[in-house]
Amino acid sequence: MACLLETPIRMSVLSEVTASSRHYVDRLFDPDPQKVLQGVIDMKNAVIGNNKQKANLIVLGAVPRLLYLLQQEASSTELKAECAVVLGSLAMGTENNVKSLLDCHIIPALLQGLLSPDLKFIEACLRCLRTIFTSPVTPEELLYTDATVIPHLMALLSRSRYTQEYICQIFSHCCKGPDHQTILFNHGAVQNIAHLLTSVSYKVRMQALKCFSVLAFENPQVSMTLVNVLVDGELLPQIFVKMLQRDKPIEMQLTSAKCLTYMCRAGAIRTDDSCIVLKTLPCLVRMCSKERLLEERVEGAETLAYLIEPDVELQRIASITDHLIAMLADYFKYPSSVSAITDIKRLDHDLKHAHELRQAAFKLYASLGANDEDIRKKIIETENMMDRIVTGLSESSVKVRLAAVRCLHSLSRSVQQLRTSFQDHAVWKPLMKPILESGAVELLCGLTQSDNPALRVNGIWALMNMAFQAEQKIKADILRSLSTEQLFRLLSDSDLNVLMKTLGLLRNLLSTRPHIDKIMSTHGKQIMQAVTLILEGEHNIEVKEQTLCILANIADGTTAKELIMTNDDILQKIKYYMGHSHVKLQLAAMFCISNLIWNEEEGSQERQDKLRDMGIVDILHKLSQSPDPNLCDKAKTALQQYLA
């Protein structure tokens, strides 16, 4: 009975909601074409800015009828164009509206419409396609399904400034990744769009610019081509530089800076080129200032982080431009209670998106501090920096957490570098202190349990850096917080980067004799099990090399080496890798043997005898003839231990 009751109730609600809209749909079925046209025009006026009306008309089935009229040969061109306008207006409503339109196969119908000779109809179809393709619910692939579409769109670029604006906008929204870039590039996108950068229409220039930014992103082929393109006798990079001057609209400055950034990162422009150092970098720093809107500050900081990431010279220049490091501290204070924003809508928007500012600041700090010790010191000394990172590590947004851990990871590199280079406790001691006191170790250990592989990698990476030549207490803290169960879970992680960084962490934990012996006395059994599993598994050379290096560290312990000597299975594996075809693995296995047979240590005679009985000395003789000088030297040194 319940099923029967349900229908009439729903119908009555619907009839109430849609009665006022029904006459619009009914008029679409009038036998008089003139009345149909007038009905479509009235419908167009009724739906402008009225989301409720749009939803009603969709529920009442207006979309299939409009699409039918749009595709009917008998329909006048004016009627077809008006149908496309109404459909475009419906698409501007909610995401559900767009889904309904997609379900009715609107895209093939509109693409078919582009074959019409009538320009007004073509423009209406393109405007509607632009609205649909810029919606997040529309799959970009729908643009590439039919191979004839892209070349036809390229041909339509010359028809009017509207076709130029809409087509460029469609391209820039639907170009996601190298496959799409290649399709557009092969169909002449660069040549067809370049001259639009000098169009009289600002909208056309802007959309063309956006096209180039998505085409060049991480694409050396496109970027190398763009460098040499001439437009009205001027090279494209020079045009981009003109477009990022201060008197140009912010959107244009930002997008031009992106184009130049992407071309630089793709290797088409040198990092020391004046258009990068004197134009692009300062423009992006300007975008980080308080005066800019939230989204401009986010985009500016993220693009700048990407530009300077691999280049220490650019990092140094950026760090002393316009007090950037201090300017980024403001990203965490926004919007404040005394914010100057009087526009309530803007304030509401910014409160919802404030986390994007924090994410962008962390990313830029990570890039700034990637290589230079002085810059790191400045960042670490920025007010409340460590507190901000720790807060960031426990934020609800995955993106902020990831950016915070990247930042911590970048700053913790100084720990590793300083300890190896000039033992400057002045920087790394205070740095380790706030990291440990702020509870970062527990948070990083927590991140290693994330479902997101990038978070796991960065969490374990930062721990690996902290464990490097660290005091026993720090190592114990890491092991305790991480737990051996989690450590072994990470050693069987399906993500190769996670596995490599976990092996790196284990290697750093097992360094210096007292630490090796201490850790192996409590966790030896599990560590030996994990090592065995990895050496037996289907892993690449790098993974196995790291694992053998861990064994070599264990073999360097005083009591720990007995865990290897009493494990025949492991000894056989070391022997096997000494005879492996890959030199890296042979060398790593050699380190294990050298540490086990070293003369000056207690019990060395028994260990030497046992290894001799296993045939290790014969292998050493063979390796002492190796064409690889490194391997040959190591084998000879090991043999001398037997002779001493």
Side-chain angles (χ1 to χ4, degrees):
M1 281 304 288
C3 295
L4 293 173
L5 277 172
E6 218 172 304
T7 319
I9 291 169
R10 281 189 59 212
M11 285 308 291
S12 68
V13 173
L14 265 184
S15 56
E16 237 173 82
V17 171
T18 54
S20 61
S21 311
R22 191 179 299 283
H23 70 282
Y24 287 115
V25 180
D26 291 344
R27 288 165 72 190
L28 301 182
F29 292 88
D30 199 290
D32 179 350
Q34 209 43 48
K35 285 185 178 168
V36 173
L37 175 62
Q38 195 49 53
V40 175
I41 291 169
D42 290 346
M43 185 183 278
K44 173 180 74 176
N45 296 329
V47 295
I48 291 172
N50 187 336
N51 275 350
K52 195 172 180 187
Q53 186 70 278
K54 289 174 188 179
N56 290 348
L57 291 171
I58 289 171
V59 167
L60 289 168
V63 177
R65 183 62 184 171
L66 288 166
L67 284 171
Y68 171 79
L69 295 170
L70 179 126
Q71 293 174 91
Q72 270 301 93
E73 296 224 348
S75 299
S76 68
T77 317
E78 191 187 357
L79 174 60
K80 288 179 177 179
E82 290 292 355
C83 286
V85 171
V86 175
L87 288 163
S89 192
L90 295 177
M92 280 182 179
T94 63
E95 288 182 2
N96 279 336
N97 290 8
V98 178
K99 283 180 188 164
S100 303
L101 294 171
L102 291 172
D103 290 343
C104 293
H105 306 292
I106 187 171
I107 289 181
L110 292 169
L111 291 173
Q112 192 63 35
L114 298 180
L115 300 171
S116 157
D118 185 85
L119 183 58
K120 281 277 166 278
F121 178 44
I122 289 173
E123 288 173 351
C125 287
L126 282 172
R127 194 181 304 117
C128 185
L129 281 165
R130 180 271 313 264
T131 305
I132 288 169
F133 274 120
T134 52
S135 164
V137 299
T138 309
E140 297 85 23
E141 284 307 324
L142 293 173
L143 184 67
Y144 304 95
T145 318
D146 177 345
T148 63
V149 170
I150 301 292
H152 185 60
L153 288 171
M154 293 293 177
L156 290 175
L157 274 170
S158 58
R159 293 294 296 275
S160 75
R161 72 184 189 86
Y162 294 112
T163 64
Q164 291 166 350
E165 180 193 334
Y166 304 145
I167 291 170
C168 284
Q169 205 172 348
I170 290 168
F171 285 164
S172 62
H173 269 274
C174 295
C175 183
K176 300 274 196 279
D179 293 349
H180 296 164
Q181 288 171 328
T182 303
I183 294 169
L184 293 171
F185 180 78
N186 289 345
H187 282 105
V190 173
Q191 295 77 358
N192 284 302
I193 296 169
H195 69 279
L196 303 182
L197 290 170
T198 56
S199 165
V200 292
S201 157
Y202 170 75
K203 284 183 173 175
V204 172
R205 293 200 303 279
M206 202 50 239
Q207 293 306 333
L209 196 55
K210 284 184 176 171
C211 260
F212 282 127
S213 78
V214 296
L215 283 168
F217 182 63
E218 293 189 341
N219 193 313
Q221 184 191 24
V222 173
S223 296
M224 295 292 188
T225 307
L226 292 182
V227 174
N228 300 311
V229 171
L230 279 168
V231 181
D232 296 347
E234 220 175 352
L235 284 168
L236 219 46
Q238 291 165 334
I239 293 176
F240 292 152
V241 166
K242 280 185 176 173
M243 290 175 135
L244 55 70
Q245 285 168 349
R246 287 168 185 263
D247 60 337
K248 297 288 185 287
I250 294 295
E251 177 189 31
M252 184 172 270
Q253 289 185 46
L254 244 178
T255 314
S256 310
K258 274 183 163 180
C259 289
L260 290 160
T261 293
Y262 298 161
M263 288 162 74
C264 177
R265 282 297 307 265
I269 300 176
R270 288 169 54 107
T271 52
D272 59 0
D273 190 300
S274 63
C275 77
I276 297 296
V277 178
L278 302 177
K279 302 291 183 182
T280 309
L281 187 147
C283 169
L284 290 169
V285 173
R286 280 202 306 276
M287 295 302 147
C288 298
S289 84
K290 263 187 195 167
E291 284 64 55
R292 302 270 53 89
L293 291 174
L294 178 138
E295 46 272 38
E296 293 160 359
R297 293 170 80 187
V298 168
E299 220 172 312
E302 293 200 331
T303 308
L304 183 55
Y306 182 66
L307 172 66
I308 67 175
E309 190 180 24
D311 190 274
V312 66
E313 208 36 57
L314 289 179
Q315 290 157 14
R316 286 178 185 140
I317 296 165
S319 74
I320 55 168
T321 304
D322 292 353
H323 308 290
L324 178 63
I325 291 175
M327 191 153 51
L328 285 178
D330 288 331
Y331 275 46
F332 296 94
K333 304 173 189 169
Y334 182 87
S336 66
S337 52
V338 291
S339 182
I341 305 174
T342 47
D343 175 353
I344 293 297
K345 249 188 175 169
R346 169 46 70 177
L347 184 61
D348 183 53
H349 168 274
D350 285 3
L351 284 166
K352 287 197 184 98
H353 293 270
H355 67 277
E356 292 174 21
L357 273 177
R358 296 192 291 277
Q359 176 197 340
F362 282 136
K363 275 187 184 170
L364 186 42
Y365 275 138
S367 279
L368 282 164
N371 298 294
D372 186 286
E373 204 44 60
D374 293 332
I375 300 175
R376 282 198 200 108
K377 194 167 184 299
K378 270 192 208 163
I379 294 171
I380 291 161
E381 287 166 0
T382 305
E383 52 173 330
N384 307 329
M385 191 61 206
M386 288 314 299
D387 294 344
R388 291 201 171 115
I389 291 178
V390 170
T391 309
L393 289 172
S394 44
E395 275 205 36
S396 57
S397 156
V398 171
K399 287 183 172 174
V400 177
R401 295 211 305 273
L402 185 51
V405 78
R406 281 204 182 127
C407 182
L408 180 57
H409 164 211
S410 177
L411 297 178
S412 68
R413 276 184 205 163
S414 60
V415 177
Q416 183 151 346
Q417 286 181 347
L418 286 170
R419 287 179 183 167
T420 45
S421 53
F422 42 90
Q423 290 294 327
D424 179 0
H425 298 286
V427 179
W428 72 258
K429 271 279 170 68
L431 169 62
M432 280 311 286
K433 199 164 176 279
I435 287 177
L436 293 166
E437 283 173 359
S438 58
V441 172
E442 286 81 1
L443 285 163
L444 292 170
C445 291
L447 289 179
T448 67
Q449 300 184 27
S450 165
D451 291 338
N452 180 318
L455 276 176
R456 290 204 302 280
V457 168
N458 279 282
I460 201 77
W461 197 338
L463 288 169
M464 180 185 100
N465 284 351
M466 281 184 201
F468 185 78
Q469 293 183 2
E471 298 160 12
Q472 173 64 35
K473 185 189 175 306
I474 294 174
K475 291 181 178 180
D477 277 356
I478 291 173
L479 259 179
R480 193 188 61 251
S481 300
L482 191 61
S483 84
T484 38
E485 295 76 35
Q486 178 58 7
L487 184 65
F488 299 122
R489 229 174 275 135
L490 292 165
L491 286 172
S492 54
D493 200 287
S494 57
D495 187 293
L496 177 64
N497 287 327
V498 173
L499 174 57
M500 281 298 283
K501 295 291 175 264
T502 309
L503 289 169
L505 169 63
L506 196 49
R507 191 174 166 181
N508 287 350
L509 291 171
L510 292 166
S511 63
T512 72
R513 277 190 189 162
H515 298 181
I516 296 168
D517 290 334
K518 179 95 179 60
I519 291 171
M520 292 307 287
S521 69
T522 49
H523 302 93
K525 195 177 166 200
Q526 298 109 308
I527 289 173
M528 295 303 281
Q529 260 177 340
V531 165
T532 308
L533 280 172
I534 292 172
L535 291 177
E536 282 175 355
E538 293 292 315
H539 292 291
N540 67 21
I541 300 293
E542 280 70 27
V543 167
K544 298 210 166 176
E545 182 193 18
Q546 273 278 23
T547 310
L548 286 166
C549 288
I550 290 169
L551 267 183
N553 283 12
I554 296 168
D556 192 35
T558 307
T559 54
K561 50 167 61 80
E562 284 312 306
L563 285 162
I564 297 177
M565 290 308 300
T566 53
N567 188 327
D568 289 344
D569 185 20
I570 286 282
L571 288 173
Q572 287 299 334
K573 286 185 169 55
I574 295 172
K575 179 183 174 183
Y576 164 76
Y577 284 108
M578 284 177 78
H580 198 275
S581 57
H582 206 290
V583 174
K584 272 185 174 180
L585 296 182
Q586 288 180 289
L587 273 169
M590 277 293 307
F591 277 119
C592 297
I593 294 298
S594 298
N595 284 343
L596 291 172
I597 61 174
W598 206 252
N599 249 329
E600 294 150 23
E601 289 165 14
E602 202 183 325
S604 61
Q605 194 56 57
E606 291 87 339
R607 289 193 293 275
Q608 285 184 9
D609 292 346
K610 179 168 182 175
L611 293 170
R612 186 197 304 262
D613 295 345
M614 280 177 61
I616 295 293
V617 175
D618 300 339
I619 300 174
L620 288 175
H621 278 297
K622 210 185 282 177
L623 293 178
S624 67
Q625 308 299 313
S626 166
D628 184 89
N630 227 339
L631 198 54
C632 172
D633 283 353
K634 290 278 179 292
K636 284 176 179 168
T637 308
L639 282 169
Q640 279 166 1
Q641 295 301 310
Y642 273 95
L643 300 170

